[in-house]
Structures are given as C-alpha cells and as structure tokens.
C-alpha cells in the first residue's frame, strides 16, 4: 500500500538578515509537524525558502553597491545556518531566484493571461514599500499603511491585473463547505468580514517600476509583482511549470500552509483564487498562527535592539541553551493561534521547570535507582499494584492524545500531553517511594516493577518527544540501550511492556543543567548593554560625524528635504525611556506626533511653546510603539549634547525653512 503523503510549507522568508527568534516560530513548528507525520509513516515533503524579489531588496542592494542577487546570497546562507542550528530538516529550500521557480512563475503568469484571468490596465494605488503592498484609499489607516503605519505613496503605472474580484463568492463558498480550510476560526471571520463580504478588488500583479523580480516573458518591461511570485513557490518547488513535475503530481495539494497571521489574506484569499484560476486543486488547510511579542509588539530586531535587553538572536540562543530548549519554548509556550509574549525569563523558566526539573529529574532519578538497586540491569516487571494501573493507562493513552492534539494542529497541547505522562511518572516515584521499598529485601520484586514501569514511561515519553526535540530524546533512549536513530515510528509506544527486563541501563548524565535565572538574566542584560555601547563607539555618527565631510549635493538634492517650522503644543516623556520625548507639533494646518531623543536636554515643560524646525517629509518611523511623523532639528556638540534649532524672531508655524 502506498504511504499517505503529507505536504507542509512555511512562508518563504524575506532575506532581512536581522533574524530574530520570532522568525523561527513558523518553521520550527512546521519542522515538528513534518517529523511527526514522518513518524506516522507518511511520505512527507516539507518546504521552506526565501522570498527575494521586490523593491526593498532592489533599493538595499543599490545602497550597498552590489547586484541584488549578490546582496541576498549571504543573507540566505545566514537563514540556512539558523535552520541547521535548530535542526530544521526541510526537503527543499526554494529561493525565488531559482531558475525553475522563475520559469514556473512565468508559465503561471502566461497561463493566467491566456485564460483571460489577467488583463492590462493602469494602476493607481497607495504603495507601502516596506510591506510591498498596494492599498486602496479606504484601506489606509489615517492615510498610512494599515499594516505597519508607515507612509504610503500614490503610484500610477501600466500594470497587469488579476481578476480577483471574480472570486469572492467562490472563496466564501470554499470556507462554507470546508470550515477547516482556514484556521483558527477567528482568521476566517476576519477574512469574511474585512475582505470577502465588502467585495474583492482586482489585484495588480505586475510592475514596470520594479526591475528586481521575475520578468513577464511576453511583455518586456513588466516584472511579476511579488505576491504571485512568492505564493507560486508552493507549486514551483514541486516542479509545476517545469518539464519535471513528478513531485507536483505526488504532493500537491498541500496538506498545510502554516503562516503568521499577518499574511493570511494572501494565503487564504489570493492564493486560492490564483489556484482556482489555474484550475488547480486548493491546499487542504491554511493556518494563521499568532506572533511572538516583545513589550506588546510584534518581535522585531530593530525594536529589540533599541529598547530591550532581551536576547532574541536565534544563533545566540541556541549557543547558550541548545536547540532543544529553544525548540521546546517555541513549541510549548504559546497557545497555538494566539500571540505570546517572549522574554528571556519565560524561556529560562520553561527550561528549568519542564526540561531540567520534570524531564531531567525523572530520567536521572530512575536511571540512578536502577544502577543503585539493580547494578544497572533493568529488572523484570511483576504484578501490578497500587498506582501502577493509572500510570500504565496514562502512558498508553499518550499516543492517542498527542495524535488528537496534532490533528488539531495544537503542538503545545501535544507537548502538554507528553509532559502529563512525565508528571504522572514523577508523582509515581513519590507515591511508591522506591527508596523505602529498597529497605525491605523481601520487596525486591516490587521495587523492580516500580523501576521497570518508570523505565517504560521514560521510553514512551522519549519516543513521543522525537518530533519536537531532536537531541535529548535520542540521548535518553541511549541511556536505556536503544539507538534513537533506529526509532523512526511510533510502533513501540502504543503498548506498555517493550522492555523484557535484563537490559543494561546507563546512569544518565544531566540532560538540561538548571539555570540560575536571576544570574543569567543579569548576564544577558550586561551583554546587551556592553554591545550597545560598543556599537555606539563603532558608529560615532551621532556625535563625531561632525568631522565627517559628506559628498557634495546639488540644490535639487537639498530640495528633496522639506523643512518647516512647527510649534510644540504638548510634550511628555515616553514611558520607560530616559531619552525620548513625545510631542504634538503643529505644522501649519496639521498637528503631528513627533518623538525626539532630546529628553536629557529639555524637559516637556521647556519644550511647550517652542518653535522648532521639522523635517516634514521624513518617512514615519515607530519609536517605542509610537509612530513619529517627522524629526525635529537639533545641533549636536562634539560631546553629543543637543541644542534645539529655533528661530530668532517670530514666524508662524508651517513656514518653509530653506
Ligand atoms: N515573504 C513573506 C511570505 C511570503 S509566503 C508566500 C513574509 N516573510 S517574513 O520573513 O516576513 O515572515 C516569515 C514568517 O515569519 C511568517 O510566517 C511570519 O509570520 C513569521 N514571523 C516573523 N516575525 C514573527 C514573530 N514575531 N512571531 C511569529 N512569527 C513571526 O511574510
């Protein structure tokens, strides 16, 4: 009989280079699912990769003075290294710059065009460069990108459009007929109410102003707009559109697209519509998970670097605590589907309580007692008594319970079920008190049974843990004389009584050393602060750039900067920051929120009523969660001290400064 197939995908990652632990969330979860399904005996294909095209990369490469491909190559390598460290075992790492992907996307685009699903027109829309997304006026939030809150620009150009508007009813019907298609439920409501019911608009799918992307092969000058390029990876990775589509025939449709919630619209609305237009089967399920939050915000490297001393670099985390600890935290801590707060303290507490205490102690106590009382030879199992029946029933139930949790895509619950057995076994030690039984030689048989039962519970737990943790389960099995690598399925966990007795049991070395949380956090903080100080020294730009001679610019270059006078109407300190002031600044007809790093030099009271010079066309940026709409000019002395630039005589706010 042919094996059941299981095709699971992560989104393909933007090659940002600033990878943080939040980025690893989707992929570690997918890896656990892939491993779990492999152990069920299924024929698994696990896809991940990178999403390398688009204006943002084009600009960054230009800034760096290299070609876009050259720019992304090392970033992609960096991401692969993170997956290696975290023991993520994918079957393909697709890059949107791969030849077969490019050809596949061209074929998809052409097919859609030939089927009349794509047409040429003119696009006018509000484009957010960082998000690579076009928005309609009504979708904008206070005139800014509804996703990131940044400035958008009105762009008009000749573009191809995908007839997305024709698919709203079909997608609503898809949801109705397949309530499991989009999970969790809340995401489906969001899609229905925010996008499908109001009606879909046709989607711009090519750009002429962007060069870094897949060229439309029948209309030179047009580049496939990123989302068709990116989403198609799920089928081009299997050879769709190439001469060699054996994998596509075997694995498509995907069983699960796992993505973060912010890109659900693309996966649960646009992607199904594209597939419908191509007459291809739809993925069976799309799941939009929540975010790892830091300080109430989506974890992002730039933020953590500035405002927090949390350690978030996945490489460093693996170096300090090992891949199993990081994987365990990601898979266990956050109720699946919801957001969860990331702190080093929560990570360390998880490691200590679950891994070092519950699991580590169970293994070390059991193997120590088998060595102490039976010379390291596992005794045989005798008659059942006392709490044995309950222990055995918990152990035998784990496989089914984990199966249920995994079918509901609930990895945290699956781990909870395994740890329920570990907890039960620890409680069993307390209930049976083997050290007391050991005092009575006539009870040697009972002592043997207790230790045998514990060994079985540990064996079952270790096998069940294999999809989630990749180092310690095999290590544990090794203490019990089992080569973990040979355990490729769950066959041995469905019944209690695998050991025959007589097996050589090794005294376990510590699996997870207990971490002194306070000390460790103090060390991490020190590390973060000293790093920040070193960075400042390395980048004397803030204060010592005074001496730097910048290249000459033309009057046209200067004219790009719009300087205006403003009057500070209100000012307050930004919470938990000794540097930042948040101000309301009237600039002619509008009042802006501006966050400025002048709190050390000016009190809020001093600022109110001051006339300031505002860089009025600066791209808004979020500082401590506040969107700052411009910058206030200051003079900076060699020692870094700031002095406000103001006017010598009165001038109305909103006046041009030149
Ligand atoms: N390139 C697009 C996806 C295209 S798929 C056809 C993209 N890339 S991404 O690099 O921004 O995100 C990759 C994955 O990381 C997404 O699933 C995203 O949700 C996830 N995460 C990034 N930061 C995260 C957190 N702080 N928390 C949890 N997951 C987050 O989107």
């Amino acid at each position: 009989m042919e094996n059941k197939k299981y095709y699971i995908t992560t989104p393909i990652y933007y090659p940002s280079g600033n990878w943080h632990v939040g980025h690893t969330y989707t992929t570690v979860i997918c890896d656990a699912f892939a491993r779990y399904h492999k152990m069920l005996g299924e024929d698994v294909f696990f896809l991940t990769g990178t999403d390398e095209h688009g204006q943002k990369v084009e600009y960054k490469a230009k800034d760096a003075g290299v070609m876009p491909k050259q720019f992304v190559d090392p970033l992609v390598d960096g991401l692969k290294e993170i997956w290696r460290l975290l023991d993520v075992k994918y079957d393909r790492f697709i890059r949107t710059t791969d030849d077969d992907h490019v050809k596949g996307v061209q074929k998809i685009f052409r097919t859609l065009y030939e089927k009349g699903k794509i047409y040429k027109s003119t696009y006018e829309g509000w484009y957010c460069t960082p998000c690579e997304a076009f928005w309609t006026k009504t979708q904008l939030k206070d005139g800014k990108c509804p996703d990131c809150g940044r400035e958008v620009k009105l762009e008009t150009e000749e573009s191809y459009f995908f007839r997305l508007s024709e698919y709203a009813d079909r997608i609503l019907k898809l949801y109705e007929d397949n309530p499991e298609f989009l999970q969790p439920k809340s995401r489906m409501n969001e899609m229905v109410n925010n996008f499908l019911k109001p009606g879909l608009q046709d989607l711009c799918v090519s750009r002429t102003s962007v060069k870094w992307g897949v060229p439309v092969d029948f209309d030179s000058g047009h580049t496939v707009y990123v989302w068709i390029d990116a989403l198609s990876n799920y089928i081009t990775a299997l050879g769709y559109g190439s001469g060699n589509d054996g994998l596509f025939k075997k694995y498509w449709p995907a069983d699960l697209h796992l993505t973060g919630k912010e890109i659900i619209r693309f996966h649960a609305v646009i992607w199904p519509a594209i597939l419908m237009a191509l007459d291809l089967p739809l993925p069976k399920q799309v799941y939009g998970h929540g975010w790892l939050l830091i300080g109430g915000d989506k974890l992002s490297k730039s933020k953590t670097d500035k405002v927090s001393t949390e350690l978030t670099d996945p490489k460093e985390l693996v170096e300090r605590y090992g891949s199993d600890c990081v994987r365990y935290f990601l898979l266990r801590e956050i109720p699946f589907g919801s957001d969860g707060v990331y702190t080093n303290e929560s990570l360390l507490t998880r490691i200590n309580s679950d891994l070092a205490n519950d699991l580590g102690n169970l293994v070390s106590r059991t193997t120590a007692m088998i060595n102490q009382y039976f010379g390291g030879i596992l005794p045989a199992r005798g008659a059942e008594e006392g709490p044995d029946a309950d222990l055995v029933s918990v152990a035998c139930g784990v496989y089914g319970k984990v199966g249920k949790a995994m079918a509901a895509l609930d990895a945290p619950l699956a781990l909870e079920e395994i740890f329920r057995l570990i907890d039960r076994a620890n409680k069993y030690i307390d209930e049976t008190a083997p050290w007391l039984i050991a005092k009575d030689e006539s009870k040697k048989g009972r002592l043997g049974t207790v230790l045998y039962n514990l060994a079985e519970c540990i064996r079952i737990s270790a096998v069940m843990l294999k999809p989630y943790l990749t180092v310690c389960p095999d290590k544990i099995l090794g203490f019990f004389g089992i080569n973990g690598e040979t355990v490729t399925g769950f066959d041995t966990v469905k019944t209690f009584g695998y050991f025959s007795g007589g097996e050589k049991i090794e005294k376990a070395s510590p699996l997870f050393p207990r971490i002194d949380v306070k000390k460790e956090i103090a060390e991490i903080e020190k590390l973060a602060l000293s790093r920040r100080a070193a960075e400042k020294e390395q980048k004397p730009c803030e204060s010592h750039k005074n001496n730097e001679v910048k290249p000459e610019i033309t009057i046209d270059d200067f004219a790009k900067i719009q300087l205006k006078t403003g009057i500070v109407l209100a000012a307050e300190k930004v919470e938990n920051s000794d540097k930042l002031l948040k101000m309301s600044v009237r600039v002619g007809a509008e009042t802006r929120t501006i966050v400025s790093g002048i709190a050390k030099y000016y009190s809020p009271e001093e600022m109110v009523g001051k006339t300031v010079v505002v860089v009025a066309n600066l791209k808004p940026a979020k500082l401590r969660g506040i969107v700052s709409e411009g910058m206030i000019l200051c003079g900076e002395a060699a020692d870094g001290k700031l002095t406000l630039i103001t006017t010598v005589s009165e001038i109305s706010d909103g006046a041009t400064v030149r």
Side-chain angles (χ1 to χ4, degrees):
M1 201 181 72
E2 216 176 287
N3 283 357
K4 197 174 156 207
K5 67 93 189 164
Y6 185 75
Y7 179 31
I8 182 168
T9 68
T10 74
I12 43 174
Y13 284 70
Y14 292 130
S16 80
N18 275 335
W19 313 114
H20 56 69
V21 64
H23 282 118
T24 65
Y25 188 65
T26 322
T27 302
V28 165
I29 293 169
C30 275
D31 181 68
F33 276 109
R35 286 171 187 266
Y36 175 78
H37 282 268
K38 259 180 209 157
M39 284 185 71
L40 286 180
E42 295 173 16
D43 189 341
V44 174
F45 196 92
F46 166 25
L47 175 72
T48 189
T50 38
D51 184 358
E52 303 177 17
H53 292 132
Q55 206 158 33
K56 215 167 16 170
V57 170
E58 192 173 319
Y59 289 164
K60 282 189 184 165
K62 203 169 166 198
D63 278 353
V66 293
M67 298 304 286
K69 180 72 170 32
Q70 245 179 311
F71 177 77
V72 293
D73 278 349
L75 302 176
V76 173
D77 287 345
L79 186 61
K80 284 184 175 168
E81 173 64 4
I82 291 171
W83 299 149
R84 191 187 67 75
L85 289 169
L86 279 166
D87 240 337
V88 166
K89 293 259 172 353
Y90 42 79
D91 294 286
R92 174 161 180 191
F93 187 103
I94 187 168
R95 300 183 56 174
T96 49
T97 47
D98 287 343
D99 269 357
D100 59 344
H101 174 75
V102 170
K103 287 202 182 88
V105 169
Q106 285 176 327
K107 164 127 193 237
I108 289 165
F109 202 91
R110 202 176 333 114
T111 309
L112 290 172
Y113 182 67
E114 283 163 5
K115 280 171 164 267
K117 308 293 181 188
I118 278 179
Y119 62 93
K120 202 184 217 178
S121 182
T122 309
Y123 186 82
E124 189 183 87
W126 298 89
Y127 189 70
C128 174
T129 307
C131 296
E132 297 185 312
F134 269 111
W135 302 99
T136 58
K137 189 141 193 167
T138 49
Q139 285 171 326
L140 299 180
K141 223 169 153 184
D142 301 328
K144 307 265 161 59
C145 170
D147 261 3
C148 73
R150 278 181 270 215
E151 195 94 331
V152 286
K153 36 181 188 181
L154 190 63
E155 293 201 358
T156 317
E157 63 185 42
E158 182 189 82
S159 293
Y160 283 95
F161 283 80
F162 171 59
R163 296 187 192 278
L164 183 65
S165 58
E166 291 178 359
Y167 293 88
D169 289 345
R170 281 180 72 182
I171 293 169
L172 280 168
K173 176 129 184 18
L174 164 75
Y175 292 1
E176 242 172 68
D177 295 348
N178 305 277
E180 298 298 309
F181 175 78
L182 174 55
Q183 291 293 318
K185 257 237 127 33
S186 55
R187 312 267 184 260
M188 193 181 275
N189 299 338
E190 195 188 317
M191 289 304 112
V192 170
N193 297 327
N194 298 356
F195 297 107
L196 294 164
K197 286 214 169 132
L200 296 173
Q201 298 194 356
D202 287 352
L203 184 76
C204 167
V205 288
S206 81
R207 305 286 308 270
T208 48
S209 53
V210 180
K211 297 289 162 238
W212 177 234
V214 176
V216 174
D217 57 359
F218 57 85
D219 194 347
S220 64
H222 280 266
T223 303
V224 178
Y225 168 59
V226 283
W227 279 99
I228 280 214
D229 173 12
L231 289 162
S232 301
N233 94 87
Y234 300 130
I235 53 177
T236 59
L238 301 176
Y240 180 82
S242 76
N244 185 4
D245 64 354
L247 289 177
F248 176 74
K249 287 197 176 114
K250 180 170 176 189
Y251 290 108
W252 190 256
D255 293 84
L256 177 63
H257 290 316
L258 183 68
T259 89
K261 61 180 180 180
E262 79 282 14
I263 45 176
I264 270 300
R265 179 165 73 103
F266 302 102
H267 287 82
V269 176
I270 296 174
W271 182 225
I274 294 172
L275 290 165
M276 285 171 182
L278 289 167
D279 290 315
L280 289 176
L282 306 184
K284 292 185 190 153
Q285 197 165 47
V286 176
Y287 192 104
H289 66 65
W291 292 333
L292 246 64
L293 304 175
I294 191 159
D297 251 325
K298 185 180 176 202
L299 189 54
S300 102
K301 194 72 194 299
S302 54
K303 262 177 234 160
T304 57
D305 281 354
K306 279 193 199 101
V307 303
S308 148
T309 50
E310 302 292 341
L311 191 64
T312 60
D313 179 339
K315 278 191 193 169
E316 280 188 72
L317 289 170
V318 173
E319 253 163 43
R320 281 182 101 82
Y321 313 116
S323 59
D324 273 354
C325 291
V326 181
R327 287 177 66 106
Y328 183 74
F329 175 85
L330 291 169
L331 288 159
R332 175 70 202 268
E333 180 75 8
I334 299 153
F336 204 45
S338 313
D339 292 343
V341 175
Y342 174 83
T343 61
N344 289 135
E345 188 169 348
S346 53
L347 169 71
L348 300 175
T349 307
R350 269 285 168 207
I351 299 175
N352 274 349
S353 73
D354 298 12
L355 298 177
N357 281 0
D358 297 347
L359 177 60
N361 281 347
L362 175 66
V363 175
S364 74
R365 286 204 288 178
T366 303
T367 58
M369 288 191 286
I370 295 171
N371 276 272
Q372 184 182 349
Y373 304 130
F374 293 92
I377 303 298
L378 188 68
R381 181 183 181 199
E384 202 170 86
E385 60 178 87
D388 298 8
D390 185 51
L391 180 80
V392 173
S393 114
V394 174
C396 292
V398 157
Y399 172 74
K401 287 190 168 143
V402 167
K404 246 192 178 159
M406 291 300 271
L409 302 181
D410 196 337
L413 179 60
L415 279 167
E416 207 178 307
E417 296 294 357
I418 301 170
F419 274 77
R420 233 188 282 284
L421 170 60
I422 292 165
D423 286 350
R424 183 66 194 87
N426 274 318
K427 190 169 152 228
Y428 180 79
I429 299 185
D430 298 337
E431 287 165 343
T432 54
W435 51 92
L436 295 182
I437 311 177
K439 289 189 175 151
D440 185 346
E441 191 54 32
S442 71
K443 291 192 176 152
K444 193 92 182 176
R446 175 63 190 150
L447 180 63
T449 301
V450 166
L451 294 176
Y452 178 97
N453 287 343
L454 287 169
E456 269 295 278
C457 289
I458 292 173
R459 180 189 63 77
I460 291 172
S461 308
V463 174
M464 291 307 303
L465 278 173
K466 272 177 76 91
Y468 314 93
L469 309 182
T470 61
V471 182
C472 100
D474 285 4
K475 210 164 153 190
I476 295 173
L477 291 170
F479 300 140
F480 288 83
I482 299 170
N483 175 357
E485 278 177 30
T486 62
V487 182
T488 52
F490 293 120
D491 305 341
T492 59
V493 298
K494 294 174 197 162
T495 45
F496 200 88
Y498 168 87
F499 288 124
S500 352
E503 287 86 354
K504 173 94 193 79
I505 311 296
E506 211 179 294
K507 194 163 178 282
S509 52
L511 289 169
F512 300 96
R514 245 194 96 78
I515 301 167
D516 182 334
V517 177
K518 255 191 167 164
K519 212 168 128 200
E520 178 68 7
I521 287 183
E523 205 172 294
I524 292 172
E525 275 175 9
K526 223 168 103 192
L527 190 78
L529 294 175
S530 69
R531 256 188 213 157
R532 221 171 285 167
E535 268 170 27
K536 260 198 174 158
E537 257 173 40
Q538 270 178 10
K539 278 198 252 162
C541 54
E542 265 88 277
S543 47
H544 298 99
K545 255 194 180 162
N546 286 334
N547 299 330
E548 185 189 312
V549 180
K550 290 199 172 162
E552 199 174 59
I553 58 167
T554 64
I555 188 79
D556 289 339
D557 289 330
F558 180 70
K560 284 185 192 153
I561 304 168
Q562 186 167 46
L563 301 174
K564 289 200 165 188
T565 55
I567 182 150
V568 180
L569 302 179
E572 60 179 289
K573 283 201 157 203
V574 171
E575 217 179 307
N576 297 329
S577 165
D578 54 358
K579 271 193 176 171
L580 299 178
L581 282 190
K582 175 185 162 192
M583 286 166 279
S584 289
V585 184
R586 199 178 64 206
V587 186
E590 52 176 340
T591 300
R592 297 182 178 212
T593 299
I594 297 184
V595 179
S596 176
I598 52 171
K600 279 194 184 155
Y601 311 102
Y602 295 92
S603 68
E605 295 70 27
E606 273 178 289
M607 285 304 296
V608 175
K610 285 243 164 21
T611 296
V612 292
V613 178
V614 176
V615 183
N617 60 339
L618 189 69
K619 190 191 269 186
K622 248 191 191 176
L623 293 165
R624 292 276 173 122
I626 307 165
V627 178
S628 180
E629 306 157 294
M631 186 178 120
I632 284 177
L633 291 192
C634 287
E636 190 175 356
D639 60 1
K641 194 167 181 288
L642 299 180
T643 308
L644 208 62
I645 305 290
T646 182
T647 53
V648 285
S649 55
E650 250 189 49
I651 186 164
S652 63
D653 58 274
T656 299
V657 178
R658 52 198 176 95

